[in-house]
Amino acid sequence: GNSVTQMEGPVTLSEEAFLTINCTYTATGYPSLFWYVQYPGEGLQLLLKATKADDKGSNKGFEATYRKETTSFHLEKGSVQVSDSAVYFCALITGGGNKLTFGTGTQLKVEL
Amino acid sequence: DAGVIQSPRHEVTEMGQEVTLRCKPISGHDYLFWYRQTMMRGLELLIYFNNNVPIDDSGMPEDRFSAKMPNASFSTLKIQPSEPRDSAVYFCASSLRAGPNQPQHFGDGTRLSIL
């Protein structure tokens, strides 16, 4: 079956620090990969996605590259802000399906 | 444009009571999803609909849970009877079409507490 493994949180950083949140996956076939973000008290929002190997998804300064050889999709940002504090979820879909498989989420706290 | 609307935002009720959660998807979206989020199990897909028809309910935990979609603009998730272990945040999401290029848009969730 499909599964997604994320690094455990919380991750606490100072403003302007570099962020990496690791994500690895196991999937049948060739999945599409996603990062979702959940701000306190809200639902999940799609942050970025990549649908094939070596694709790079990017949005709001965040990036992630689909690495088939290491089955990874690590999230990075060069300089985090306090407003980036949220929970980040890595997820995948296989084939043309609709069932998102989520990781457990990683809480990010950014302090001044 | 209005997003996915869920109600109530919070529900506190006693064990054994019936609970009904409601969802209005984004207009024109053909797919509707119900998820449950807990600390122990993370985000789990419970059921999803296509054009008001349930397609996959394999994630529904047991017979106490039921979901309906009587029309394109409304869905309910019912728990009867409720138990303390049902306490969680329940999310509804919708998407325009199938597949990875159609992002799922989430509502703000219903935080359910069963005492």
Side-chain angles (χ1 to χ4, degrees), chain A residues 32 38 41 43 49 89 98-99, chain B residues 9 37 56 91 98-100 104 107:
Chain A
S32 295
Q38 184 180 27
K49 68 177 183 181
F89 292 89
N98 302 302
K99 296 178 70 169
Chain B
R9 287 299 310 275
Q37 184 179 38
D56 186 338
F91 288 102
Q104 294 182 21

Side-chain angles (χ1 to χ4, degrees), chain A residues 31-34 36 38 40-46 49-51 87 89 93-105, chain B residues 9 31 33 35 37 41-45 48 56 58-59 89 91 95 97-109 111:
Chain A
S32 295
L33 303 173
F34 305 84
Y36 278 80
Q38 184 180 27
E42 298 183 9
L44 280 71
Q45 303 173 26
L46 180 64
K49 68 177 183 181
T51 56
V87 181
F89 292 89
I93 285 179
T94 51
N98 302 302
K99 296 178 70 169
L100 276 165
T101 299
F102 286 94
T104 52
Chain B
R9 287 299 310 275
Y31 287 81
F33 306 81
Y35 290 89
Q37 184 179 38
R41 300 173 68 94
L43 266 163
E44 304 171 278
L45 177 66
Y48 79 91
D56 186 338
S58 60
V89 181
F91 288 102
S95 68
R97 284 183 291 274
N101 290 315
Q102 298 297 330
Q104 294 182 21
H105 299 263
F106 284 73
D108 287 342
R111 183 172 295 276

Side-chain angles (χ1 to χ4, degrees), chain A residues 7-8 13 21-22 32 38-39 45 48 54 85 92 110:
Chain A
M7 63 189 287
E8 297 224 358
L13 296 173
I21 300 178
N22 291 338
S32 295
Q38 184 180 27
Y39 298 102
Q45 303 173 26
L48 53 84
D54 300 325
S85 298
L92 66 83
V110 181

Side-chain angles (χ1 to χ4, degrees), chain B residues 32-50:
Chain B
L32 184 140
F33 306 81
W34 282 101
Y35 290 89
R36 179 171 66 176
Q37 184 179 38
T38 61
M39 290 293 291
M40 291 297 294
R41 300 173 68 94
L43 266 163
E44 304 171 278
L45 177 66
L46 300 178
I47 185 172
Y48 79 91
F49 295 82
N50 177 25

